[in-house]
Amino acid sequence: MKKFYLTTPIYYVNAKPHIGHAYTTLAADVLARYQKKTNPDAEIFFLTGTDEHGTKIAQAAQKSGQSEQAFCDSVSGEFQEAWKKLEIDYDYFIRTTSKAHKNFASDILVKLKEKGYLVEDSYKGYYCAGCEAFKNKRELEKGNICPDHKTKCEFISEKAWFFKLSEFENKVRDLIERDEIQILPIERKHEVLGFLKQGLANVAVSRQKVEWGIPLPWDKSQTIYVWIEALLNYLSALEINHKENLWPADLHLMSKDILRFHSVIWPALLLALEKELPKKIFVHGYFTINGQKMSKTIGNVISPDELVKQYGADAARYLILTEVVFGADGDISLEKLDKRYNSELADNLGNLLNRTLAMISKYNLEKPDNWRPELEIEIKKEISEFNFQAAGNHIFEFIAKANQKIDKTKPWEMFKLGKKAELENLFFDPQEGILSVLIAVAKAIDIFMPSTSKKILVQIESGKPKPLFEKIK
Ligand code: MSP
């Protein structure tokens, strides 16, 4: 069976979605659409969702004055709403507070215990609620400050159940070295291998003092450590959908903040459970604002809603995904996005469609009988390299060239001179004609801008131009 199972991280619901989350989810959406389009016989499954247990969510719920569950329902709803507005077409949205996920996760912990991979011990050390992670003193800045969240870590001392992670150190290293789990871009693979060189300590899989979580079935004084059950979402979602046959994941997408969990703990857990390993992990960079990571905890965020209001869903999708090279960090500013919206979308693409249809109508040009455009814009290489920006550039080169061709050949003068055959050739040549280019563009951009793609084809069909993108003043 041909299949492609891809996932985004499940996002914490301590605060509303921002465009950092939208970035990963949009990338997954574009890849899923590309797979569906190019492999129509394969089963493609695109999973996203929300991560709803743990300290920081309980704290956020308390602050809001709501019960934990009511708070999670509300924020998870906002994520779903945001994805809907961005036309993200996932196959399943998992919530870790769903009964099915909770049952699945507790069954897995029982299995790990039965297999002898869990031991009871105690944890003494630092914990960052922002990362929901145990921290080594040497990872922290002066005053025990988390370098990512700029907040003080709590010193905790509690009983916990531990997973024997260290037993899997060599195996995991070997799998990553041999690209059995391929980690991309390559420098991220090196980073993980460097981290593995320091050796692995066992990792807590339960917390004693965190009530907002899934109880350990055999020790009700403990709840499952949120990261462990979060990783299990990739399996529980398949079980819930009766799609176990889609495992292993073909692609886990994420940013660099959570790579270690996915490239070390996750493979080790899967090895312990005797399950196959994910094939690929792609790690993209951070959106930053004035050089600082955009984060809910820091509070310097742009919401997907703002972008959709400003540009409409399609343009927001396209602009976010092509703003920086996928894999690198990049500073985001609305001024820069406004400029690109005006120049690439309104002036370049919108104008090409508009003036082409206007001229065809004004000059009374007719497509030849049985006219079939033959141009295809191929972005396979760019997409297989996760280079959305290069894919966008490749498509937009065709648009720019078509506009230049119009400016150079001056169809309005050809018309005056009565050069009808030349005009028809200019617009309808199956390979190079402007209309052929527009149709090829519409077909190629559908994964980025699904509605715009349809609009272009509808306008071409009807011959009636309507502005695609209103210019921003
Ligand atoms: N709940 C965990 C993930 C569990 S997955 C089993 C979590 N949640 S999160 O809400 O913090 O989301 C982190 C992810 O959101 C990043 O890995 C990335 O995909 C996305 N991003 C969050 N902030 C981002 C930026 N500023 N820039 C780019 N992506 C960002 O970690």
Side-chain angles (χ1 to χ4, degrees):
M1 180 195 63
K2 281 213 286 186
K3 60 111 190 160
F4 197 85
Y5 174 34
L6 79 164
T7 70
T8 71
I10 48 173
Y11 306 109
Y12 289 128
V13 291
N14 60 312
K16 297 170 197 290
H18 61 63
I19 61 167
H21 310 115
Y23 190 36
T24 324
T25 316
L26 275 172
D29 184 65
V30 165
L31 292 169
R33 284 175 190 265
Y34 184 79
Q35 288 289 339
K36 286 175 186 166
K37 173 173 161 178
T38 53
N39 291 314
D41 301 332
E43 174 146 21
I44 317 296
F45 198 77
F46 161 22
L47 175 71
T48 190
T50 41
D51 191 355
E52 307 184 12
H53 288 125
T55 318
K56 80 168 160 185
I57 287 157
Q59 284 167 353
Q62 204 178 23
K63 247 193 189 164
S64 79
Q66 287 169 285
S67 73
E68 286 95 346
Q69 192 60 59
F71 178 75
C72 290
D73 291 349
S74 147
V75 184
S76 178
E78 294 197 47
F79 273 88
Q80 292 169 54
E81 196 51 39
W83 300 163
K84 200 166 152 195
K85 284 191 187 153
L86 279 169
E87 295 201 30
I88 286 167
D89 191 16
Y90 51 74
D91 294 291
Y92 189 64
F93 189 99
I94 187 156
R95 297 189 54 191
T96 56
T97 53
S98 66
K99 199 158 174 257
H101 174 80
K102 290 195 277 192
N103 289 340
F104 182 88
S106 30
D107 288 352
I108 292 280
L109 269 104
V110 170
K111 258 189 211 152
L112 288 171
K113 181 159 181 282
E114 283 170 358
K115 285 173 179 274
Y117 289 120
L118 301 188
V119 282
E120 206 175 1
D121 204 340
S122 65
Y123 179 81
K124 257 199 181 77
Y126 291 93
Y127 191 85
C128 170
C131 302
E132 288 289 8
F134 301 94
K135 296 279 174 176
N136 224 310
K137 183 129 177 108
R138 63 169 189 273
E139 293 172 80
L140 303 178
E141 290 172 0
K142 217 172 141 205
N144 304 318
I145 302 291
C146 165
D148 280 341
H149 291 93
K150 304 289 174 208
T151 48
K152 200 173 160 73
C153 294
E154 191 195 355
F155 187 83
I156 56 173
S157 169
E158 60 184 31
K159 187 188 121 181
W161 286 83
F162 282 75
F163 169 60
K164 295 180 179 170
L165 182 64
S166 57
E167 284 190 10
F168 295 91
E169 185 181 319
N170 291 335
K171 192 93 206 257
V172 170
R173 179 188 305 114
D174 185 50
L175 288 164
I176 294 176
E177 262 168 4
R178 288 190 291 117
D179 286 335
E180 293 277 322
I181 308 172
Q182 192 184 17
I183 301 179
L184 290 170
I186 187 98
E187 54 277 19
R188 297 284 163 213
K189 168 181 170 179
H190 296 146
E191 180 189 309
V192 173
L193 289 173
F195 170 71
L196 280 166
K197 263 194 199 136
Q198 300 168 16
L200 290 180
N202 291 343
V203 58
V205 295
S206 70
R207 298 284 319 267
Q208 191 180 17
K209 290 171 187 152
V210 180
E211 279 171 25
W212 183 238
I214 307 170
L216 267 194
W218 67 90
D219 181 351
K220 295 280 183 327
S221 74
Q222 304 266 316
T223 54
I224 304 176
Y225 167 40
V226 61
W227 256 107
I228 300 296
E229 52 128 329
L231 289 165
L232 293 172
N233 93 87
Y234 302 129
L235 287 173
S236 69
L238 292 185
E239 197 196 66
I240 293 167
N241 285 283
H242 310 292
K243 300 265 183 207
E244 289 94 332
N245 57 333
L246 295 182
W247 189 257
D250 295 270
L251 176 66
H252 287 316
L253 278 176
M254 70 201 64
S255 189
K256 52 193 175 180
D257 46 349
I258 56 175
L259 173 62
R260 279 188 200 171
F261 290 101
H262 283 84
S263 57
V264 179
I265 300 180
W266 182 223
L269 283 172
L270 289 166
L271 287 170
L273 294 165
E274 294 170 65
K275 297 220 180 258
E276 282 184 71
L277 299 163
K279 294 189 183 148
K280 210 176 263 192
I281 294 178
F282 190 95
V283 185
H284 64 75
Y286 287 151
F287 274 163
T288 57
I289 300 237
N290 296 323
Q292 199 174 27
K293 184 191 173 198
M294 185 187 306
S295 116
K296 295 179 280 201
T297 315
I298 299 172
N300 55 345
V301 298
I302 301 179
S303 76
D305 251 19
E306 273 176 75
L307 288 195
V308 173
K309 277 200 190 109
Q310 177 81 340
Y311 308 116
D314 271 28
R317 291 169 57 99
Y318 174 75
L319 293 171
I320 297 182
L321 258 190
T322 54
E323 180 65 4
V324 299
V325 171
F326 202 58
D329 290 345
D331 225 49
I332 288 285
S333 85
L334 294 178
E335 293 76 36
K336 269 198 289 181
L337 294 180
D338 278 358
K339 272 198 192 135
R340 286 189 53 216
Y341 172 92
N342 278 343
S343 69
E344 288 172 46
L345 297 175
D347 290 345
N348 211 355
L349 174 55
N351 190 31
L352 178 66
L353 177 69
N354 211 279
R355 60 178 177 161
T356 299
L357 296 186
M359 285 189 279
I360 290 176
S361 153
K362 188 168 170 200
Y363 308 151
N364 263 320
L365 304 176
E366 300 253 346
K367 292 181 205 123
D369 288 345
N370 300 324
W371 180 72
R372 270 187 181 279
E374 285 163 15
L375 178 67
E376 259 180 59
I377 301 176
E378 189 54 81
I379 49 171
K380 189 173 177 188
K381 180 171 178 292
E382 290 85 351
I383 295 288
S384 70
E385 291 169 355
F386 298 89
N387 196 340
F388 302 109
Q389 194 185 57
N393 288 344
H394 185 63
I395 300 170
F396 274 74
E397 266 167 33
F398 282 84
I399 303 170
K401 273 197 197 134
N403 271 322
Q404 285 157 13
K405 195 163 163 192
I406 293 177
D407 296 342
K408 218 167 101 195
T409 53
K410 301 192 173 60
W412 42 93
E413 290 184 359
M414 290 177 173
F415 178 65
K416 272 191 214 148
L417 298 170
K419 295 183 172 172
K420 195 141 188 196
E422 278 179 41
L423 273 172
E424 282 177 353
N425 190 44
L426 172 68
F427 287 104
F428 305 134
D429 179 89
Q431 277 292 338
E432 291 175 6
I434 310 287
L435 204 63
S436 313
V437 172
L438 272 166
I439 290 173
V441 165
K443 289 184 176 162
I445 57 164
D446 63 344
I447 56 172
F448 294 103
M449 298 193 274
S451 304
T452 304
S453 163
K454 284 190 205 110
K455 276 190 205 158
I456 296 174
L457 295 172
V458 166
Q459 289 194 32
I460 290 177
E461 194 54 41
S462 73
K464 293 198 186 90
K466 257 198 253 142
L468 282 178
F469 303 100
E470 294 290 349
K471 232 171 144 165
I472 295 169
K473 301 271 177 307

